[in-house]
Amino acid sequence: MPINESFNILCLGDIVGQPGRHILDSKLNQIQSEFNIDFTIANIENSASGFGFNNKLYHEFIQMKMDAFTSGNHVYAKREVIEKFNIYDRLVRPINFPKTHPGKGIRYFEKNGKKIALINLIGRVFMQQMPYCPFETMDETLASVNADIIIVDFHAETTSEKQALGWYLKDRVSLVFGTHTHVQTNDSRLLS
């Protein structure tokens, strides 16, 4: 599912605590302008003191001109957000969590004439949660997705699991990016 026209997407891995928020606040506008960014996604699940997020931070990130937010294993760390998941219309939680969990695992956005599907997925290797199989979940999810651009944040521990999902979803989604490990990875790949 390649993107035919120029559409620049900025994917930000885990924003960790106040230092991460400070750097983002001071550099995001410059990066978005320099690289002509059309759509910005950030993983915010560690933005509140390195563990979870809160209502105040969610709204601060919107003010920073971010379009969408992903999460992962700490999405429910702050109790204050549990009852507000129905109003967090820019946030996705792992879609392979049980359906009874608060929030949504897929959201649709419209930007510059494009319909974008953002899906959040969590891995299984070395994770304490036992989510549903990410591969089977993606098969089920993609059967009903209708969008120009499909983006997947795979919140997983190991590079190998992230790469396996990338190959599994090759030509089925537009972009797979990995979060959770809190370290920069320079092994990006163009699969098609």
Side-chain angles (χ1 to χ4, degrees):
M1 166 158 267
I3 303 169
N4 295 329
E5 299 136 27
S6 176
F7 190 89
N8 297 322
I9 302 167
L10 175 62
C11 302
L12 301 167
D14 303 32
I15 299 167
V16 180
Q18 191 278 332
R21 296 191 319 265
H22 175 74
I23 290 169
L24 195 60
D25 189 40
S26 66
K27 299 290 184 187
L28 182 61
N29 286 338
Q30 176 188 340
I31 292 167
Q32 289 172 322
S33 177
E34 182 179 342
F35 293 97
N36 195 27
I37 300 300
D38 295 294
F39 194 76
T40 301
I41 305 163
N43 184 292
I44 64 169
E45 70 141 20
N46 290 300
S47 59
S49 302
F51 194 70
F53 75 99
N54 60 39
N55 191 56
K56 178 179 176 273
L57 293 177
Y58 176 86
H59 292 288
E60 283 181 15
F61 292 138
I62 291 173
Q63 294 301 312
M64 286 186 208
K65 308 253 187 281
M66 290 191 222
D67 298 292
F69 310 110
T70 60
S71 61
N73 54 316
H74 300 309
V75 66
Y76 304 124
K78 305 291 184 208
R79 291 193 183 269
E80 74 176 78
V81 301
I82 298 292
E83 294 179 6
K84 296 183 179 175
F85 271 86
N86 60 336
I87 63 168
Y88 295 145
D89 61 352
R90 295 186 190 196
L91 175 72
V92 289
R93 54 102 169 132
I95 197 168
N96 54 332
F97 277 175
K99 292 183 184 357
T100 56
H101 281 211
K104 293 184 178 183
I106 183 172
R107 290 207 184 264
Y108 291 93
F109 301 88
E110 294 278 342
K111 190 77 181 266
N112 299 349
K114 301 284 186 193
K115 185 176 181 183
I116 303 161
L118 176 61
I119 303 167
N120 198 181
L121 200 60
I122 194 166
R124 291 177 117 177
V125 178
F126 303 131
M127 295 296 249
Q128 291 181 348
Q129 298 82 0
M130 269 316 287
Y132 300 120
C133 174
F135 298 86
E136 291 176 359
T137 300
M138 284 306 298
D139 287 340
E140 294 167 10
T141 301
L142 290 175
S144 62
V145 172
N146 182 13
D148 300 309
I149 300 170
I150 302 172
I151 303 168
V152 178
D153 171 1
F154 192 31
H155 196 77
E157 188 73 41
T158 65
T159 301
S160 57
E161 189 178 23
K162 292 174 188 176
Q163 288 181 356
L165 186 79
W167 284 106
Y168 189 73
L169 297 178
K170 180 181 179 291
D171 299 326
R172 299 170 67 197
V173 302
S174 308
L175 169 68
V176 176
F177 72 102
T179 57
H180 178 68
T181 51
H182 305 186
V183 295
Q184 180 183 6
T185 55
N186 287 322
D187 58 352
S188 62
R189 301 180 196 290
L190 294 175
L191 302 180
S192 60

